[in-house]
Amino acid sequence: MKRKQFVALMAATVMTVGLLAGCGDENGAGDGVQTEVSDTSGTESETEQPAESDNGAGSDEIETITVWTDSSSDKIVRERQVEEFNANEGKELGIEIDYQIYGQNYVDTLRIAAQAGETPAIFHADDKWLPEFVEAGWVLPYEDFPGSEELLSKYDGMLSEQKQIFDGKTYTLPYTMTTYGFVINMELFRQAGLTEDDIPETWDEVREVAAKITEAADGKAYGLGLSSTLWTVSSYYTFGAGENVGHYGYDWDKKQFDYSAFNPLIKAIDQIVADGSVLPGFESLDADGIRAQFAAGTIGMMGMANFDCSAYKELFPVNFEWKITGVPKFSEDQTQYKRFGLPTNLICIGPNAIEHPEKVMKVVEFFYDDANLAEMYEDGIYIPIRSEAIELATKEPSLNGFKEFATFDELFVMPPVPDSYISVEGTTYREAITNIWTNPGLDDVDAIMADVDQRYNDALSKIDPAVIDLYMIPEGQSPVKGK
């Protein structure tokens, strides 16, 4: 494709940038097990193109390295960091970063550019399309660039096949992670005669407390909040519950899907719905709808992820005391695994970067710099996957609850699962769980979820075993505490 044709295609692609996004990189769709969506983006406006920098050096001295992203939640901090780099270290190295933020059509724009051989040197990576780009040769492995060894060594034990590593080469690195918990409206707790000592630790206790809150509120509030939006099933409930079962829907040891492992949680919420302790009308509430209801004080408890902290400050301001607690257990005496964290990758490198390999690697190092990520942590934007970045922070995050999501003794970095390779007949696991909860009566959860597992594993049996073998817990990692 000629360059003028590419420019015409680009001009025809609408580019927008989110004014505010609650979870930054947690953008996903479909029903992949490792996919989740924060759904906290605000209104959108035209893409803001960076102004040309007058760096005082001739064009023959400064090399422009273009970087594309669709992440807008870190926009203010990242653009300031880029400006400082260009004015200082970048000028010394002969580098200027041209940082461009795209909106909802980022993937389409990127794919058009890739097909035309016009991708930028560096661009934000996403699990949904990265395997396709690797196979097509639209991204290059980090190992191809001088000086990458030191950077890669910092992520020993954090990388997974089919997420960062493909065919033995590294195409991106994890940057941040999402962790999960339970949010409590302490005012509704006190109104029901409850104290912090009554914060539930098991799902049986959640049911008891939900009934007390509902009764005390006399129709003005309810014990538990739910949404019918599918991603909330995983992000608010099953992902975090991995610390109760040792996986999040796929058993890596058995190489089988096992959503029935979450039956205690599914049954408990099914019972809470039947008790009348769930906010009515949740069947039609999307994620923002349920957030708005919590902020309005009509919900006593609900699942939550760290990206909601910013939503409860900016989009749906909460004017009462609320507290983050741990994911409820299935039983008091169960085996407890490490806290689960879903990693999010940052950037990959396009083929055109090979023209300036040393300078491109310097820019890559800048984006992964722990000090820069520490600033993001301080502002409550991201939880770094590297504890070294948190240790560099000079202050605690200002967002209520954010510190609790970033505090843990042991973390299990969730490896990918082979759900993207299968085509499941019938309802997905999230649809099946949502159908159970939206039914006001009690369901045969065991039978429904056994059918889900059967259909998923039937689909899995049609996949090349060599592909399935790629999906494993990386060496040196384990969900078991102390390992």
Side-chain angles (χ1 to χ4, degrees):
M1 182 181 292
K2 302 295 186 182
R3 182 173 182 85
K4 63 181 181 180
Q5 292 175 300
F6 167 71
V7 172
L9 283 170
M10 291 285 285
T13 303
V14 178
M15 296 179 288
T16 57
V17 59
L19 187 61
L20 177 65
C23 74
D25 294 325
E26 307 303 332
N27 299 320
D31 196 65
V33 177
Q34 71 264 34
T35 301
E36 65 185 85
V37 186
S38 75
D39 198 24
T40 60
S41 59
T43 57
E44 298 188 344
S45 59
E46 291 185 2
T47 303
E48 297 182 14
Q49 300 292 344
E52 293 186 4
S53 171
D54 181 8
N55 50 46
S59 58
D60 58 333
E61 299 177 11
I62 297 293
E63 205 67 59
T64 298
I65 306 298
T66 302
V67 180
W68 286 4
T69 184
D70 59 343
S71 176
S72 58
S73 61
D74 61 359
K75 178 179 184 293
I76 295 175
V77 177
R78 185 62 89 187
E79 287 187 339
R80 185 184 71 244
Q81 292 173 348
V82 169
E83 184 178 352
E84 291 174 355
F85 175 88
N86 287 342
N88 298 287
E89 182 183 0
K91 182 178 288 186
E92 294 175 2
L93 295 171
I95 299 170
E96 178 171 307
I97 299 173
D98 177 15
Y99 186 63
Q100 302 181 17
I101 304 175
Y102 290 78
Q104 63 183 358
N105 290 306
Y106 169 75
V107 178
D108 292 335
T109 304
L110 186 59
R111 187 170 279 108
I112 291 171
Q115 292 169 346
E118 295 285 351
T119 53
I122 298 170
F123 47 97
H124 176 230
D126 192 290
D127 293 351
K128 295 187 294 297
W129 49 256
L130 184 57
E132 170 198 350
F133 275 50
V134 170
E135 185 174 352
W138 294 340
V139 288
L140 298 177
Y142 281 34
E143 288 87 350
D144 284 1
F145 291 81
S148 62
E149 298 85 358
E150 182 177 354
L151 177 62
L152 293 175
S153 68
K154 295 180 179 180
Y155 293 85
D156 284 345
M158 299 181 188
L159 308 183
S160 297
E161 291 279 354
Q162 304 302 105
K163 191 170 181 73
Q164 294 92 21
I165 299 174
F166 298 84
D167 295 325
K169 296 288 188 177
T170 310
Y171 286 86
T172 187
L173 293 171
Y175 189 59
T176 63
M177 60 188 169
T178 302
T179 58
Y180 312 94
F182 216 58
V183 61
I184 308 290
N185 179 329
M186 294 306 299
E187 287 191 9
L188 289 180
F189 251 56
R190 286 188 284 268
Q191 183 179 314
L194 303 167
T195 68
E196 289 195 12
D197 292 337
D198 298 306
I199 290 177
E201 295 184 356
T202 68
W203 276 103
D204 285 342
E205 293 173 353
V206 171
R207 182 186 176 191
E208 294 173 6
V209 169
K212 291 178 180 179
I213 291 173
T214 302
E215 181 179 3
D218 194 25
K220 296 180 181 178
Y222 293 81
L224 186 69
L226 293 174
S227 163
S228 62
T229 300
L230 294 179
W231 70 260
T232 62
V233 171
S234 50
S235 292
Y236 288 171
Y237 297 103
T238 60
F239 280 0
E243 63 187 71
N244 292 321
V245 300
H247 60 76
Y248 62 107
Y250 179 80
D251 189 319
W252 294 280
D253 293 330
K254 297 179 180 178
K255 299 181 182 179
Q256 292 279 286
F257 287 98
D258 182 19
Y259 294 111
S260 293
F262 299 113
N263 283 0
L265 177 159
I266 300 168
K267 290 178 180 178
I269 295 182
D270 192 30
Q271 185 65 64
I272 295 170
V273 172
D275 291 344
S277 300
V278 173
L279 180 74
F282 75 89
E283 300 87 349
S284 61
L285 285 178
D286 62 10
D288 277 352
I290 202 67
R291 290 182 178 118
Q293 288 293 329
F294 180 78
T298 63
I299 294 171
M301 304 173 290
M302 60 184 284
M304 183 173 166
N306 65 274
F307 50 71
D308 287 308
C309 293
S310 62
Y312 290 137
K313 178 181 179 181
E314 303 291 343
L315 298 178
F316 309 101
V318 175
N319 298 315
F320 53 80
E321 181 187 356
W322 54 281
K323 183 180 179 67
I324 300 299
T325 187
V327 171
K329 299 178 183 178
F330 291 173
S331 65
E332 283 286 358
D333 57 354
Q334 70 171 68
T335 299
Q336 196 77 359
Y337 295 86
K338 296 176 183 177
R339 189 167 191 176
F340 273 43
L342 185 70
T344 301
N345 296 327
L346 183 59
I347 51 178
C348 50
I349 305 175
N352 293 330
I354 206 68
E355 298 174 6
H356 311 286
E358 293 86 359
K359 292 185 176 181
V360 166
M361 183 48 58
K362 290 295 182 183
V363 175
V364 170
E365 291 171 354
F366 159 78
F367 275 92
Y368 280 104
D369 183 73
D370 286 338
N372 287 338
L373 186 50
E375 287 189 65
M376 308 284 191
Y377 169 73
E378 291 172 352
D379 285 359
I381 300 172
Y382 297 136
I383 298 177
I385 197 166
R386 279 174 45 83
S387 60
E388 291 85 350
I390 295 178
E391 292 168 0
L392 287 176
T394 59
K395 59 182 179 180
E396 297 290 351
S398 57
L399 280 179
N400 185 39
F402 198 82
K403 180 182 177 181
E404 285 75 12
F405 281 109
T407 303
F408 35 80
D409 294 329
E410 295 182 278
L411 178 76
F412 178 60
V413 179
M414 297 153 68
V417 303
D419 63 325
S420 61
Y421 281 89
I422 65 175
S423 179
V424 179
E425 295 184 6
T427 57
T428 64
Y429 84 96
R430 292 194 287 199
E431 289 170 338
I433 294 173
T434 300
N435 291 342
I436 291 170
W437 292 346
T438 54
N439 176 17
L442 294 176
D443 296 88
D444 188 344
V445 172
D446 289 334
I448 294 171
M449 298 311 295
D451 174 67
V452 168
D453 290 341
Q454 184 66 54
R455 290 186 287 105
Y456 269 77
N457 288 317
D458 284 347
L460 186 66
S461 68
K462 301 174 184 178
I463 304 302
D464 183 349
V467 172
I468 297 174
D469 287 344
L470 294 173
Y471 290 87
M472 63 184 75
I473 297 175
E475 185 176 353
Q477 294 188 32
S478 173
V480 180
K481 287 187 173 182
K483 293 187 178 180

